[in-house]
Amino acid sequence: MSDSGNTAAIVPDVKDWTWVLERACPECGLETPAVVREDVAGMIRANAAGWVALLGADGAAVRRRPAPGVWSALEYACHVRDVFRLFHVRLGLMLTQDGPLFANWDQDETAVAERYGEQSPAVVAEELVAAAEVLAAAFDAVAGEEQWRRTGSRSDGARFTVESFSRYLVHDPVHHLFDGTGVRHA
């Protein structure tokens, strides 16, 4: 069920978004530095509910790209689902290994390979909620300062503690819900 408007190649996002750990995002409005680590699980669940509402809208509308080379709401939802899954794996590594190095993930390659724009909005909504709950429960289970200070690194050298990782993570789904709805984070 491909939309002819979704044939333009996506412009890869090559920005280093770690700056959101230092200042508010001027686009989506999330003040990531002010996010309390214990609130991240609830923010993940609330974000998932926002995606369910968005994906329950007109199927043609959620598949439509707002501009050539920009993901549709459905494609962003697929990405967020996969981010929740990936970050659950990475959080597990941080909590069970000393200073793990995360494998690279090409989000644009995944979008093409998994045919994000052709997936069922209803199925994506279910999968996104399930992935969000698994990740939120994992953050709920982080206990004690020692666990919040455990570390992990990306191959580009960005190093996170579980705490900074939680704040970095939550910006992604919040920002993409803004991309899909145009509504800034309150």
Side-chain angles (χ1 to χ4, degrees):
M1 194 183 267
S2 180
D3 180 291
S4 61
N6 286 1
T7 58
I10 294 296
V11 177
D13 182 357
V14 295
K15 285 190 231 172
D16 177 0
W17 285 89
T18 56
W19 61 265
V20 300
L21 292 171
E22 300 167 6
R23 61 188 181 278
C25 180
E27 294 175 34
C28 73
L30 181 64
E31 291 193 41
T32 311
V35 169
V36 176
R37 65 190 187 193
E38 289 84 3
D39 293 344
V40 168
M43 292 175 74
I44 291 168
R45 291 180 178 107
N47 181 268
W51 284 106
V52 169
L54 178 59
L55 292 173
D58 174 15
V62 300
R63 292 179 188 283
R64 191 173 305 111
R65 289 185 174 168
V70 176
W71 279 349
S72 66
L74 175 59
E75 290 167 306
Y76 278 122
C78 291
H79 169 73
V80 168
R81 174 202 57 206
D82 291 351
V83 164
F84 286 156
R85 291 171 172 169
L86 176 68
F87 276 66
H88 178 253
V89 169
R90 289 179 174 182
L91 176 60
L93 291 172
M94 292 174 78
L95 293 172
T96 60
Q97 297 180 12
D98 290 331
L101 179 63
F102 307 137
N104 286 331
W105 180 55
D106 186 326
Q107 65 188 17
D108 300 304
E109 181 179 295
T110 301
V112 171
E114 297 297 321
R115 304 173 72 107
Y116 279 180
E118 297 178 29
Q119 294 189 25
S120 161
V123 171
V124 171
E126 288 176 21
E127 293 172 345
L128 189 150
V129 167
E133 183 52 40
V134 168
L135 180 58
F139 275 114
D140 277 339
V142 175
E145 203 59 39
E146 184 178 321
Q147 283 195 330
W148 285 107
R149 282 191 245 163
R150 294 188 60 84
T151 62
S153 301
R154 291 190 317 212
S155 61
D156 67 358
R159 188 168 189 254
F160 300 92
T161 63
V162 170
E163 182 173 358
S164 65
F165 181 78
S166 73
R167 291 192 332 267
Y168 176 74
L169 153 76
V170 82
H171 172 261
D172 191 82
V174 166
H175 193 100
H176 292 315
L177 192 55
F178 162 74
D179 289 330
T181 64
V183 178
R184 288 172 48 89
H185 183 75

